[in-house]
Amino acid sequence: MLCEKYRSQLRWVIYQIYPRSFMDSNGDGIGDLNGITGKLDYLKDLGVNAVWLCPCYKSPNDDNGYDISDYRDIMDEFGTMEDMDALIAALHARDMKLIMDLVPNHTSTSHPWFQESRKGKDNPYSDFYYWFDEIPNDWEACFRGSAWEYDPVRGQYYLHSFAISQADLNWNNPAVVKAMQDTVDFWVDKGVDGFRIDVIDMISKDFSTNANGFGPRLHEFIHDLFGRKKTAHLFTVGESGVQDIDEMIRHCAAERNELSTLFLFDHMECGRTGKFTPRPDTLKSLRDYLVHWQQETEKHDLLHSLFIENHDQTPIISRIGNDREKRYESATDIAAMVYLLKGIPFIYQGQEIGMTGAHYDSIDVFDDIESINYYRDFCKTMSPEEALAKINFGSRDNARHPMAWNGGENGGFSTGKPWIVLHSRYQEINVEKDLASGRSVYRFYQALLALRKANDVFLDGKMDVLSAPEDPYFVFTRTLGTEKWVVVCNFEEEQKIELPFSCEAPVLANLKRPSADGVYAPYECAAAKVLL
Ligand code: GLC
Ligand code: CA
């Protein structure tokens, strides 16, 4: 049985916004807080009751806000603190929650803490970062190159797990822990309801190992942040490289007072080897990961997070679905596979209209620091065309193009020139067109979320898998008391799927056709109540 706090958080449906690309309210080509406030009814209609904002804090934007220079102020391009207060009020007026992105592992090197720290060993901020005379190991940065950078001002090396301008904070210094607690409390006092915590597994390090993260004090630090009375009510989800259930239990078991849940990434590797290399994968492997984690989290009374896209990933239908002829079918089929399981749904902007990956003929239109650095390295061993194909497949920009609200000028995102090129398919795939079509991905998501909301069986009900591992489809039931529902999700091929019981007519289905014969079209899905 889930604890009471987790049971209530299970009712949250979270929509992730990349503020820079969601809606521009003042025509400068950059999405902003007022743009988000203006779209809350669109989200409410979808069935969402919480919003997670990627970082909105002051930042030089080398990594689009994940390089923070002031945790307590709003990025100029996004608006003001008054705009943030208004957004929080507008959310709460609609009974919606706000989740902020907390980035505790690193700051921008333009943060005053770093500017002070680099001045020398006598400075009060001297130990806010990791400084070494000699590089202590050969760790690499996630955005390529060495994770160590020489700072000529201080005459020492500092650690940066990501860009050179993102210096890792030294959590072994109690003043850093205190500063981050104060940051959390500042936003709690503003009324935020939860946090998504960036690379939480990296805040404790052991320099003698060959991997950055999961250091010996990780759980102590998480507890320092969220195990306090002031933070006990929050919803917290950590971005983490956790790969086994025991480790997840240590993070998320209710009695540990650490995190509500984690974003795990096993299933995100479906369809590729590393970020930039496609592999012929199928929905089968997605299903197997989903089943594995569903069963484990259920067994151990953990709160599970259901997500398949975010701002770092190419949309799923371009990774393992069919983003051309069967775009609607595969987008909705995958939604049923994932979001009728037990856990908190996270929906990334654009996912609700079946947005796909983009395609460009030149590296010049890419903005993402990771993509650009990888392209440069790829070009050392392959042709520019091959390198560009990899970037087109895996670039984080695939998820960062302006939200396509309509097929008109700038996709309805802005009256000015957008900060990044429009999605290459925005005229074909946009909100206006989706809503007007008889095959609307948005309407399917809306119906799915309404079904979850109306039937507790989709929240609390036990999940049982009916399909066998070799079956090219996914069939599962959810059972609560005397109520049982079945969900059938077919994969790529048409086939007959027989059920061991009879059902009422489907309440949710992506194809409107009589399927009483048990033959399912490619990517067809349906959810129905079982007749007991
Ligand atoms: C996380 C974020 C990513 C960011 C990185 C560094 O992985 O999701 O966007 O670049 O952390 O903060
Ligand atoms: Ca703007």
Side-chain angles (χ1 to χ4, degrees):
M1 206 28 189
L2 283 180
C3 70
E4 210 175 305
K5 172 177 165 181
Y6 290 176
R7 276 171 56 90
S8 92
Q9 291 180 344
L10 200 49
R11 295 189 179 272
W12 295 24
V13 178
I14 301 172
Y15 187 91
Q16 183 193 350
I17 290 181
Y18 199 67
R20 207 172 184 76
S21 297
F22 190 61
M23 184 66 203
D24 174 22
S25 72
N26 63 353
D28 67 353
I30 300 176
D32 46 51
L33 298 180
N34 290 339
I36 297 169
T37 305
K39 289 290 184 188
L40 294 185
D41 289 331
Y42 167 83
L43 300 179
K44 180 96 186 164
D45 283 350
L46 179 61
V48 160
N49 59 23
V51 165
W52 149 30
L53 297 182
C54 280
C56 306
Y57 316 99
K58 278 246 183 324
S59 164
N61 282 306
D62 288 345
D63 187 22
N64 288 354
Y66 283 94
D67 47 325
I68 297 169
S69 55
D70 185 349
Y71 287 93
R72 299 179 186 213
D73 205 351
I74 302 298
M75 191 188 299
D76 292 329
E77 298 95 309
F78 288 1
T80 62
M81 193 56 93
E82 287 70 45
D83 297 338
M84 177 54 89
D85 291 335
L87 173 57
I88 297 175
L91 280 162
H92 288 167
R94 288 170 179 76
D95 228 355
M96 296 169 84
K97 318 268 188 202
L98 177 63
I99 293 158
M100 296 288 273
D101 213 312
L102 184 74
V103 188
N105 180 67
H106 44 266
T107 70
S108 163
T109 48
S110 44
H111 194 294
W113 297 341
F114 188 87
Q115 290 301 322
E116 287 300 312
S117 191
R118 75 185 337 179
K119 285 183 186 158
K121 297 186 180 142
D122 307 329
N123 191 281
Y125 291 90
S126 163
D127 293 332
F128 260 54
Y129 300 85
Y130 295 110
W131 293 105
F132 285 91
D133 291 328
E134 306 284 340
I135 294 177
N137 58 35
D138 57 4
W139 285 1
E140 285 186 10
C142 297
F143 296 156
R144 310 305 273 171
S146 167
W148 299 98
E149 182 72 10
Y150 183 75
D151 179 48
V153 180
R154 172 131 167 177
Q156 282 186 305
Y157 293 89
Y158 66 89
L159 176 67
H160 65 90
S161 299
F162 292 88
I164 292 170
S165 62
Q166 287 168 298
D168 284 43
L169 285 161
N170 172 12
W171 275 72
N172 295 319
N173 177 356
V176 168
V177 178
K178 175 78 170 54
M180 213 46 74
Q181 286 174 328
D182 290 348
T183 302
V184 166
D185 292 354
F186 173 84
W187 288 100
V188 171
D189 289 339
K190 284 229 159 261
V192 314
D193 305 287
F195 293 94
R196 174 265 186 188
I197 306 103
D198 194 63
V199 291
I200 187 73
D201 49 358
M202 286 189 176
I203 61 177
S204 172
K205 310 181 198 280
D206 177 350
F207 292 116
S208 68
T209 63
N210 57 10
N212 182 352
F214 293 105
R217 300 182 68 187
L218 174 60
H219 292 284
E220 177 193 337
F221 295 151
I222 298 178
H223 197 271
D224 286 342
L225 276 184
F226 298 115
R228 298 171 296 130
K229 210 170 175 180
K230 173 133 187 156
T231 55
H233 65 289
L234 296 172
F235 169 77
T236 48
V237 49
E239 182 196 30
S240 173
V242 162
Q243 281 173 334
D244 72 86
I245 188 66
D246 294 330
E247 197 45 48
M248 178 153 184
I249 293 170
R250 284 194 282 277
H251 282 80
C252 301
E255 66 277 9
R256 300 216 22 122
N257 291 319
E258 291 190 19
L259 300 173
S260 304
T261 182
L262 293 176
F263 286 136
L264 303 177
F265 288 88
D266 269 357
H267 68 298
M268 299 303 265
E269 284 312 313
C270 297
R272 56 190 183 185
T273 310
K275 203 159 196 163
F276 297 97
T277 310
R279 81 175 176 218
D281 213 326
T282 62
L283 293 172
K284 240 187 201 174
S285 91
L286 174 65
R287 174 197 63 195
D288 296 345
Y289 281 123
L290 291 174
V291 167
H292 168 74
W293 281 106
Q294 179 80 160
Q295 290 174 336
E296 292 290 345
T297 50
E298 191 160 52
K299 190 156 83 201
H300 297 282
D301 295 326
L302 302 175
L303 187 58
H304 195 26
S305 52
L306 307 173
F307 82 103
I308 36 178
E309 295 188 11
N310 66 28
H311 63 292
D312 295 330
Q313 311 284 340
T314 296
I316 190 150
I317 50 175
S318 296
R319 284 187 274 122
I320 55 170
N322 176 332
D323 70 1
R324 294 285 163 177
E325 311 79 38
K326 300 283 179 206
R327 187 178 65 82
Y328 164 80
E329 290 84 346
S330 59
T332 49
D333 191 32
I334 293 172
M337 276 177 75
V338 177
Y339 298 121
L340 292 175
L341 294 173
K342 183 172 184 170
I344 303 185
F346 286 82
I347 299 163
Y348 182 65
Q349 69 186 42
Q351 193 183 324
E352 78 279 21
I353 56 167
M355 198 33 122
T356 65
H359 188 93
Y360 300 98
D361 296 331
S362 160
I363 190 67
D364 299 341
V365 303
F366 286 84
D367 169 84
D368 171 32
I369 183 169
E370 180 186 75
S371 307
I372 293 166
N373 290 353
Y374 266 89
Y375 177 80
R376 192 194 52 217
D377 284 6
F378 285 151
C379 283
K380 291 177 189 154
T381 57
M382 61 185 81
S383 72
E385 292 74 29
E386 286 169 301
L388 187 60
K390 280 182 180 289
I391 299 300
N392 268 312
F393 172 73
S395 172
R396 305 195 297 181
D397 282 345
N398 277 310
R400 299 178 178 186
H401 295 292
M403 179 77 175
W405 296 101
N406 60 47
E409 202 181 344
N410 301 325
F413 160 75
S414 173
T415 54
K417 185 173 181 288
W419 68 277
I420 186 173
V421 281
L422 292 168
H423 195 286
S424 54
R425 295 176 70 181
Y426 84 97
Q427 285 171 315
E428 173 199 350
I429 310 167
N430 57 64
V431 173
E432 195 176 274
K433 210 163 166 182
D434 181 83
L435 287 175
S437 96
R439 287 148 50 88
S440 160
V441 180
Y442 181 101
R443 297 281 180 227
F444 183 88
Y445 266 85
Q446 197 175 39
L448 186 158
L449 296 175
L451 178 69
R452 281 177 54 106
K453 194 173 175 192
N455 296 280
D456 279 356
V457 64
F458 287 108
L459 295 169
D460 282 339
K462 179 165 187 331
M463 194 277 295
D464 289 292
V465 188
L466 264 55
S467 43
E470 61 279 9
D471 288 338
Y473 49 80
F474 184 19
V475 180
F476 61 95
T477 56
R478 300 290 307 273
T479 313
L480 185 67
T482 56
E483 194 179 336
K484 189 191 279 294
W485 285 70
V486 63
V487 180
V488 179
C489 299
N490 191 18
F491 295 167
E492 296 88 345
E493 308 292 335
E494 175 182 287
Q495 62 204 304
K496 198 166 172 98
I497 302 176
E498 304 207 51
L499 299 177
F501 36 59
S502 343
C503 304
E504 291 178 5
V507 171
L508 181 77
N510 60 351
L511 302 183
K512 287 181 193 48
R513 54 178 214 113
S515 64
D517 55 357
V519 175
Y520 286 77
Y523 300 105
E524 182 171 359
C525 69
K529 199 166 175 177
V530 175
L531 288 167
L532 291 172

